Amino acid sequence: MLNIEDMASYCIKKGFVYRSSDIYGGFAGFFDFGPLGVEMFNSIKTSWWRHFVQSREDMVGLDASIISHPITWQASGHLEGFGDLLLVCLKCKEKVRADHFLKEKLDIVADGLEAGDVNNIVKKNKLCCPKCKSNFKEVDNFNLLFETKVGANEVSKDVAYLRGETAQGIFMNFRQVADTMRLQLPFGIAQFGRCFRNEIAPRNFLFRQREFNIAEFEYFIHPDEKKCPYLTSEIKKIKLQVLDTETQQKGKKTLTDMTIGDLLKKKKLGEWHAYLLAEQYNWFVAIGLNPKNLKLREHMHTELSFYSSATFDFDYAFPFGSDEIAGIANRGQYDLQQHIKFSKKKLALHDEKTNKKVVPRVIEPTFGMERIFLALLYEAYEDDKKRGNIVLKLQPKLAPIKVAVFPLVNKNHEKARKIFDSLKSEFVSTYDKGGSVGRRYARADEQGVPYSVTVDFEEGVTIRNRDSTKQVRVDEKDLVPVLRQLLHSEITFEKAGKKI
């Protein structure tokens, strides 16, 4: 598998991702999507929104502000509980995140450990600064929220925070959304947006950043409703590779094949939690992630977030190790109860079934979208030795450019431009007349273009399939509908036209 440094180089070279502020040497933890990256990322976003919001009757969307009232983060618990333990070298002042450092050096899960526990582990194992080999100071807590100022007065009351998660905007708007949209439990509110965390040590390219996008939804359920009517027998048969708490407590990483039904029998989670977890998994598979590269890791009690009673991560097998791309937490009534307490507002809903006011409980599926973007690039990347170039085998619906148009020679330019103009209003398309046709095919392969249209002197045009390199001949008048069907997987390539 391509290492992360080479993947970063590929992304920069092909216009998927650039270092932010590159002309000034970059800025750690920040990246910009290039022309191809922004198209691919928008396609992933569209797929997510369609799957989890637009295709469901029980979901609505929201786009809350990045900066909210400072009390938001006091109520949510983030001012007290949203931090990492920081190890600082006594001599060179090198700073490392304690949980990452312990995992790297001792291969232990250190999330959720108290400062005293970390100090004891560091002393017992005689761990020292990775830079100068000196000893560390006693561990400090480091809050991940970015502070900012609002307004012209430089006083403490004007301190605000860039959001560390999108969830709080959903919780604060929960009652208004429910009332204006006339929603009845159960229902979900979804959001896709930027978040900010002042990471101690951003690393592994897009995987750990200080500014990133999260897609998540809060699914609100009556607190007494335990049965999920959507949890079918077919969903219970879905098989996952699971790393459970019992295995982790033994210091092992052995994966066990379990079905959703097995997780329920073992009382690892409730029915609604299980159903929404399965929905996450189904979307991952639908967009092209190989199930063999996915594992479900159960959080141990010591690493649970302050708001969660049960959490699972979906980890992807990256070259730097298997790590989280999504999670799903049982947040219970914690957030709504906290906002009721701090705002003094009534956020309970009238439940028509019981004719009572209730504060719903919440299941929260969360997706790290840049991490999923990176995982999809790894799934798609293939160094084709026979062709002599990279082939990026993204699903057509996720490809940044859907169609490329090539005139065979310069004399075909006028006809090719006419065809390109007929395509670009419906498909993200590119026009390329530079170099040999073979070289243009190679460029399109490296950009992930699924279909290339070559225009020559004959009647009709040739469509080339990126993955197989097979070609079919299509009448010019049929080109748009044929490409539409191909991109929506409504026909196979073999049936798209006359085989060449």
Side-chain angles (χ1 to χ4, degrees):
M1 182 184 280
L2 196 69
N3 65 42
I4 193 67
E5 291 79 14
D6 288 341
M7 176 57 81
S9 296
Y10 169 81
C11 286
I12 292 169
K13 183 180 178 182
K14 297 302 173 186
F16 282 91
V17 180
Y18 304 134
R19 290 195 309 169
S20 179
S21 315
D22 191 58
I23 62 172
Y24 296 106
F27 199 35
F30 298 93
F31 292 90
D32 302 332
F33 282 118
L36 295 187
V38 72
E39 291 291 348
M40 178 179 165
F41 196 69
N42 284 340
S43 293
I44 298 170
K45 177 181 179 179
T46 297
S47 172
W48 188 90
W49 198 260
R50 186 167 291 139
H51 182 94
F52 290 106
V53 183
Q54 293 174 338
S55 67
R56 300 180 62 107
E57 292 183 59
D58 58 348
M59 292 285 294
V60 294
L62 184 72
D63 188 3
S65 64
I66 286 172
I67 297 175
S68 54
H69 196 290
I71 295 177
T72 301
W73 305 107
Q74 185 182 353
S76 71
H78 283 75
L79 289 184
E80 294 294 329
F82 191 61
D84 287 324
L85 295 178
L86 182 68
L87 287 166
V88 181
C89 176
L90 282 167
K91 185 178 180 181
C92 73
K93 309 305 180 186
E94 174 79 358
K95 297 175 182 178
V96 294
R97 184 169 154 178
D99 58 337
H100 290 169
F101 184 70
L102 296 182
K103 184 178 180 181
E104 180 183 324
K105 296 296 182 182
L106 305 176
D107 198 23
I108 62 173
V109 176
D111 287 355
L113 291 180
E114 298 292 333
D117 297 327
V118 171
N119 288 327
N120 289 335
I121 293 171
V122 169
K123 291 175 183 176
K124 180 181 177 181
N125 293 276
K126 298 179 180 179
L127 299 177
C128 56
C129 172
K131 190 174 182 180
C132 72
K133 307 304 179 186
S134 299
N135 292 327
F136 290 111
K137 293 197 299 184
E138 292 286 296
V139 72
D140 289 326
N141 191 60
F142 179 79
N143 194 283
L144 298 177
L145 289 176
F146 275 103
E147 288 189 5
T148 188
K149 293 281 187 178
V150 176
N153 295 323
E154 293 288 323
V155 293
S156 59
K157 69 178 182 179
D158 297 315
V159 172
Y161 303 91
L162 304 185
R163 65 186 180 193
E165 63 175 16
T166 61
Q168 297 309 316
I170 295 175
F171 291 122
M172 289 187 292
N173 283 292
F174 156 75
R175 181 60 191 268
Q176 291 187 96
V177 172
D179 289 347
T180 55
M181 302 306 293
R182 298 183 294 115
L183 299 173
Q184 285 291 311
L185 298 173
F187 65 85
I189 303 175
Q191 185 168 200
F192 188 116
R194 291 183 183 273
C195 294
F196 304 82
R197 297 182 185 180
N198 195 10
E199 290 285 351
I200 296 167
R203 57 182 177 175
N204 290 327
F205 189 34
L206 295 177
F207 186 82
R208 193 167 300 283
Q209 302 179 81
R210 289 176 168 136
E211 178 182 352
F212 52 92
N213 285 272
I214 279 180
E216 64 185 353
F217 59 91
E218 311 303 321
Y219 200 84
F220 300 93
I221 308 157
H222 192 289
D224 298 331
E225 188 173 1
K226 308 301 181 188
K227 289 287 183 181
C228 174
Y230 309 132
L231 188 65
T232 64
S233 58
E234 288 304 307
I235 290 176
K236 290 180 181 179
K237 292 176 185 176
I238 292 173
K239 187 177 289 187
L240 306 166
Q241 299 181 101
V242 180
L243 180 58
D244 59 20
T245 55
E246 293 82 1
T247 302
Q248 294 175 78
Q249 286 166 354
K250 295 175 183 176
K252 297 180 179 180
K253 297 183 178 180
T254 308
L255 301 181
T256 304
D257 286 342
M258 292 188 196
T259 64
I260 296 292
D262 293 333
L263 292 171
L264 286 164
K265 288 177 183 177
K266 291 176 180 288
K267 297 183 178 179
K268 297 285 186 183
L269 72 184
E271 287 196 5
W272 284 99
H273 203 160
Y275 162 67
L276 293 170
L277 185 152
E279 281 292 286
Q280 285 183 290
Y281 176 80
N282 287 337
W283 182 69
F284 288 141
V285 175
I287 62 173
L289 294 184
N290 188 336
K292 292 181 180 179
N293 291 328
L294 290 170
K295 82 175 180 205
L296 184 71
R297 189 181 74 82
E298 182 183 12
H299 277 214
M300 295 192 293
H301 178 73
T302 56
E303 61 175 321
L304 286 173
S305 299
F306 56 87
Y307 52 72
S308 175
S309 61
T311 298
F312 293 83
D313 288 344
F314 278 102
D315 291 358
Y316 181 82
F318 291 104
F320 50 81
S322 182
D323 218 329
E324 177 191 2
I325 60 170
I328 182 166
N330 183 351
R331 294 183 81 126
Q333 297 170 301
Y334 173 84
D335 297 273
L336 289 177
Q337 292 285 21
Q338 284 293 102
H339 287 301
I340 290 170
K341 176 182 175 182
F342 278 79
S343 70
K344 310 300 183 188
K345 296 292 177 18
K346 296 178 180 180
L347 301 182
L349 288 183
H350 178 262
D351 181 55
E352 289 186 353
K353 292 180 182 178
T354 59
N355 199 31
K356 293 180 180 179
K357 291 280 188 179
V358 297
V359 176
R361 63 187 181 94
V362 174
I363 303 294
E364 178 194 69
T366 304
F367 303 76
M369 299 308 287
E370 279 88 350
R371 295 180 178 190
I372 293 168
F373 175 94
L374 186 58
L376 285 167
L377 286 176
Y378 271 108
E379 288 285 354
Y381 186 97
E382 181 179 313
D383 189 354
D384 192 314
K385 302 300 183 184
K386 187 176 180 180
R387 297 190 209 184
N389 60 263
I390 304 305
V391 183
L392 197 63
K393 294 185 175 180
L394 292 164
Q395 287 188 358
K397 66 182 180 181
L398 300 182
I401 299 171
K402 313 301 183 190
V403 183
V405 178
F406 308 145
L408 184 63
V409 294
N410 285 337
K411 289 183 179 180
N412 304 127
H413 170 71
E414 187 176 340
K415 178 183 176 183
R417 284 297 309 187
K418 180 182 176 183
I419 289 171
F420 173 67
D421 289 341
S422 72
L423 298 178
K424 67 182 182 182
S425 62
E426 182 162 349
F427 314 112
V428 180
S429 307
T430 186
Y431 185 84
D432 189 355
K433 63 177 183 176
S436 68
V437 170
R439 183 59 230 148
R440 283 178 272 169
Y441 281 150
R443 279 199 292 266
D445 288 346
E446 292 171 345
Q447 295 173 335
V449 182
Y451 302 109
S452 297
V453 176
T454 305
V455 181
D456 53 26
F457 296 101
E458 305 297 325
E459 289 292 322
V461 297
T462 297
I463 304 177
R464 174 189 180 264
N465 181 293
R466 174 199 64 204
D467 295 346
S468 67
T469 72
K470 292 180 179 178
Q471 299 184 19
V472 294
R473 197 76 182 174
V474 177
D475 288 341
E476 192 175 330
K477 63 179 176 61
D478 297 327
L479 182 58
V480 170
V482 166
L483 286 171
R484 189 186 300 125
Q485 289 177 300
L486 286 170
L487 290 166
H488 288 89
S489 302
E490 294 172 356
I491 57 171
T492 61
F493 188 74
E494 289 71 21
K495 293 184 178 180
K498 185 178 180 181
K499 184 179 178 181
I500 296 178

